[in-house]
Amino acid sequence: MPIRQLSETMINQIAAGEVIERPASVVKELVENALDAGASRVEIVTSGGGLNLIRVTDDGSGIAERELALAIARHCTSKLTEDINDIRSLGFRGEALPSIGSVSRLSIRSRTAASESAAEIGIEGGRVLPVRPAAANRGTTVEVRDLFFATPARLKFMKGERAESSATSDVVKRIAIAFPAVRFTLAGSDRSTLELPAADDSAEGSLRRVAQVMGADFPDNSIALDAMRDGVHLTGHVSIPSFTRANALQQYAYVNGRPVRDKLIAGAIRGAYADVLPRDRHAVTVLFLTLDPAIVDVNVHPAKADVRFRDPGLVRGLIVGAIRQALADAGVRAATTGAAGMMAAFRPGAASYGHGGPANGHRSYDAAYRASGPSGFDPARSPQRPLDMGFDGAGFEQRGLRESEQAAFDAGPLASADARAGQDEAAETLLGAVLGAARAQVHENYIVAQTRDSLIIVDQHAAHERLVYEALKNALHSRPVPSQMLLLPEIIDLPEEDAERLALHSETLARFGLGIERFGPGAVAVRETPSMLGEANVQQLVRDLADEIADNDTVDTLKERLDKIAATMACHGSVRSGRLLKAEEMNALLRQMEATPGSGTCNHGRPTYIELKLADIERLFGRR
């Protein structure tokens, strides 16, 4: 078959296959055009999930009548200069409108501030209709009907009306977070109306918009970020460890105001929360990265959803470091959702949680604790002192413990606990502390504490597990990890580039107890391994490290394995459920929680305490 040039319509339909995947893609492109035009109000109307109708109206600068024909021509744009590295707008390729027009019935009606009337142009399946006069206010209205009628094969791949409507809502919300000063309205016969009133560009206005999109609970359970490193500025909000979701759909990331779904950013978020969240839970985040457009490439994906950073290690390190520092600075905090759930359980007629306690008639508390595994109820396995982990007392004095509290920890378990302990004058001074003064221990596992305006319930095993884990980590990473010499070096064949990457990181790996050196052009020799790992699969470990270095230029895989062992040791070395504590021990545990970063959750991501405000308790009893 001879080589021939494709028609303009065929070229646009091919481009539409990349740029326009579904109705939500059309909404994304049209809303971005409206924002690039300086709109302060954007209204979106859909029907049939967007397949029958999509209408986007804005009050932006509009398109001059003489430029309407250019607006629907391929690779015509007002947003790009001659420098491809200086992209400061959301759109820049000039592909969206001709691509949409090649697979639908498209009309554009627009009026500029200097024009006395509006003008309209249309495209039907790639066939351009002439420009004609129209009536409209300043701004632009783009109407897309019968999406994919010109390419019916694409219609077979569309999901149901509800799924397409949901995808469109997600796109609008994702864009709206980055533009709090713009009013967004999403309506139609296929959905309930979504209205996001305009706020302002201040930090408070941005947080109000985030609350509009992500729910009113998020601001109360989030921590603000503001960090900069080598010209890269990171701002936003991240959830506290005890406020999580079952998936990562509420992790929003923006690069120079552009919504992105970048695996480097997602990986950095996972790394920052690595040892404070359960395996099947995800943090809630809104991250804004601002940097020189010349050091980030946004032209690597048809939908502009992925980006490439010139220095990915810098960006990843900034995100991980800023989130971890923010979590540490925030101190001990409990999610408000835990208290809300507990309040709901206390209300008359509330549904049962279905736990294993006797209140539900299922199992005894003993059986429930035993079923929980190594950390379950078993007094016979809990004779050790709370902090018998091989550390001297100096390490804990650095965390702010007084001598009397340290002595309480060293005293060991008692035969019984006074339910009203701590009501002396010394305990009264603790009411102003974050976790207050210990008042009692119930069911041999929960510490009840009182502050000046709330009631605190602490899971003693989960709390102390986190304290021991942090102490182990600090000891582990404050000095080189002990290593064990292999009787015979392990020779591992690798691609030459992987071997080179490992050799470049050999000093860092040696600090974690892994001794590696080059062994020819395509192999490495492992002479030492971390003693904590025991008889590890060295081949798999080294290959995993090579893959991670190739992806992220880090050696966190080895660090995470060592931290996991430390977490297991902490779990088995902590105060057991069922162990009786006296008042001094309970208060010492509370003080150490206040001084330990991340103590709001245990190593497995479960909350360590719940706080009930006095006002909420009084409402339960009809006092307010």
Side-chain angles (χ1 to χ4, degrees):
M1 182 179 291
I3 297 174
R4 62 187 179 88
Q5 185 172 0
L6 297 176
S7 67
E8 189 68 21
T9 299
M10 182 65 70
I11 292 172
N12 287 334
Q13 288 179 344
I14 292 173
E18 297 178 337
V19 178
I20 310 302
E21 301 177 8
R22 59 195 308 183
S25 305
V26 175
V27 173
K28 173 184 176 295
E29 296 293 341
L30 298 182
V31 171
E32 287 182 350
N33 282 346
L35 294 171
D36 285 338
S40 62
R41 175 180 52 83
V42 179
E43 297 177 358
I44 307 105
V45 177
T46 64
S47 176
L51 293 171
N52 298 338
L53 169 68
I54 297 172
R55 183 189 301 121
V56 177
T57 303
D58 68 70
D59 61 350
S61 58
I63 305 172
E65 180 178 350
R66 66 181 182 276
E67 295 180 345
L68 280 174
L70 279 176
I72 59 172
R74 188 170 170 81
H75 300 317
C76 293
T77 180
S78 62
K79 306 171 186 177
L80 192 63
T81 64
E82 293 299 321
D83 186 2
I84 190 64
N85 295 317
D86 189 28
I87 298 175
R88 301 180 183 273
S89 57
L90 297 176
F92 56 88
R93 294 195 187 114
E95 287 184 323
L97 291 177
S99 297
I100 296 170
S102 69
V103 294
S104 68
R105 294 182 172 91
L106 170 71
S107 68
I108 304 173
R109 185 167 61 254
S110 188
R111 177 183 175 184
T112 64
S115 301
E116 295 183 355
S117 63
E120 183 175 1
I121 193 171
I123 316 176
E124 290 192 0
R127 184 171 62 89
V128 179
L129 304 178
V131 178
R132 59 184 183 272
N137 295 324
R138 195 197 74 162
T140 303
T141 298
V142 182
E143 189 170 278
V144 179
R145 293 186 177 272
D146 302 326
L147 185 62
F148 298 128
F149 89 95
T151 53
R154 289 297 296 272
L155 288 173
K156 300 178 182 179
F157 295 92
M158 295 298 104
K159 298 182 180 179
E161 180 177 305
R162 184 183 297 273
E164 297 300 338
S165 297
S166 177
T168 298
S169 298
D170 181 66
V171 163
V172 173
K173 291 176 181 178
R174 191 170 291 273
I175 295 175
I177 287 177
F179 296 88
V182 179
R183 178 178 179 269
F184 290 86
T185 304
L186 175 60
S189 59
D190 55 351
R191 66 177 65 252
S192 57
T193 300
L194 170 68
E195 189 163 348
L196 302 175
D200 52 62
D201 286 327
S202 66
E204 293 77 10
S206 178
L207 189 57
R208 283 199 298 273
R209 172 54 58 84
V210 168
Q212 292 170 3
V213 172
M214 304 175 67
D217 286 340
F218 179 67
D220 295 333
N221 295 280
S222 67
I223 306 167
L225 295 181
D226 192 346
M228 179 174 283
R229 184 184 300 175
D230 294 343
V232 182
H233 189 200
L234 173 66
T235 58
H237 287 79
V238 296
S239 63
I240 59 177
S242 52
F243 185 83
T244 60
R245 291 288 184 266
N247 54 50
L249 293 180
Q250 286 205 335
Q251 291 182 355
Y252 297 92
Y254 302 85
V255 176
N256 290 339
R258 181 189 306 280
V260 298
R261 295 181 183 271
D262 188 74
K263 67 175 184 178
L264 181 143
I265 296 175
I269 295 172
R270 285 195 304 271
Y273 284 90
D275 57 358
V276 295
L277 294 185
R279 178 177 298 178
D280 57 345
R281 304 296 293 182
H282 300 266
V284 183
T285 62
V286 180
L287 302 180
F288 298 95
L289 283 166
T290 305
L291 65 164
D292 187 344
I295 61 176
V296 57
D297 187 358
V298 300
N299 191 27
V300 295
H301 189 275
K304 304 184 286 288
D306 291 339
V307 296
R308 293 291 182 271
F309 299 100
R310 180 178 296 177
D311 189 348
L314 168 66
V315 175
R316 188 182 192 280
L318 174 62
I319 295 173
V320 173
I323 293 178
R324 288 182 175 174
Q325 185 63 45
L327 294 177
D329 292 343
V332 56
R333 285 179 59 182
T336 59
T337 51
M342 195 169 184
M343 291 287 293
F346 279 146
R347 290 191 178 94
S352 167
Y353 279 114
H355 58 71
N360 295 82
H362 294 277
R363 298 179 294 173
S364 69
Y365 274 104
D366 288 13
Y369 285 135
R370 288 194 179 97
S372 66
S375 62
F377 173 82
D378 191 353
R381 291 167 49 198
S382 306
Q384 76 276 16
R385 292 183 175 88
L387 295 178
D388 256 352
M389 294 300 298
F391 300 103
D392 55 25
F396 297 102
E397 290 175 3
Q398 292 175 358
R399 295 178 176 272
L401 286 182
R402 295 191 294 269
E403 292 182 3
S404 60
E405 294 167 340
Q406 183 65 46
F409 267 109
D410 293 336
L414 299 180
S416 63
D418 183 357
R420 298 297 299 167
Q423 292 196 1
D424 55 11
E425 182 178 350
E428 290 299 323
T429 62
L430 299 177
L431 294 179
V434 175
L435 297 181
R439 294 303 192 190
Q441 182 189 28
V442 295
H443 292 296
E444 294 81 35
N445 186 59
Y446 300 102
I447 299 171
V448 179
Q450 174 190 348
T451 70
R452 299 194 190 281
D453 63 350
S454 64
L455 176 73
I456 307 286
I457 302 175
V458 179
D459 182 332
Q460 69 185 38
H461 172 76
H464 195 252
E465 185 179 2
R466 165 61 65 178
L467 302 183
V468 176
Y469 175 50
E470 292 296 330
L472 278 168
K473 278 203 310 180
N474 290 338
L476 186 65
H477 301 306
S478 62
R479 57 180 180 269
V481 175
S483 61
Q484 58 185 3
M485 182 75 70
L486 298 181
L487 185 62
L488 294 175
E490 185 103 21
I491 308 301
I492 303 172
D493 293 322
L494 294 167
E496 186 170 351
E497 57 272 19
D498 284 347
E500 181 64 28
R501 294 188 189 103
L502 287 168
L504 290 174
H505 286 77
S506 60
E507 291 187 9
T508 303
L509 293 172
R511 190 163 53 86
F512 287 110
L514 187 66
I516 286 183
E517 60 184 41
R518 290 295 295 269
F519 192 82
V524 296
V526 179
R527 301 188 180 277
E528 297 176 328
T529 61
S531 55
M532 289 178 65
L533 293 182
E535 296 185 9
N537 185 339
V538 179
Q539 293 258 355
Q540 188 62 48
L541 173 61
V542 171
R543 295 184 190 281
D544 289 346
L545 284 168
D547 291 341
E548 183 181 359
I549 293 171
D551 286 342
N552 302 318
D553 196 31
T554 68
V555 292
D556 284 348
T557 294
L558 182 55
K559 179 178 178 294
E560 288 171 3
R561 292 197 182 190
L562 297 177
D563 286 347
K564 187 174 181 180
I565 293 173
T568 303
M569 294 170 62
C571 184
H572 288 277
S574 303
V575 175
R576 295 295 177 191
S577 301
R579 174 177 172 181
L580 299 176
L581 301 176
K582 62 182 180 180
E584 290 84 356
E585 289 179 304
M586 292 187 285
N587 277 314
L589 182 64
L590 298 179
R591 301 292 77 75
Q592 196 168 343
M593 287 178 65
E594 293 168 353
T596 302
S599 60
T601 58
C602 73
N603 309 344
H604 312 293
R606 296 189 297 270
T608 58
Y609 77 98
I610 294 174
E611 180 178 11
L612 294 176
K613 292 296 183 182
L614 181 60
D616 293 331
I617 298 174
E618 289 178 341
R619 272 194 290 269
L620 281 176
F621 289 96
R623 290 177 173 268
R624 291 199 175 195

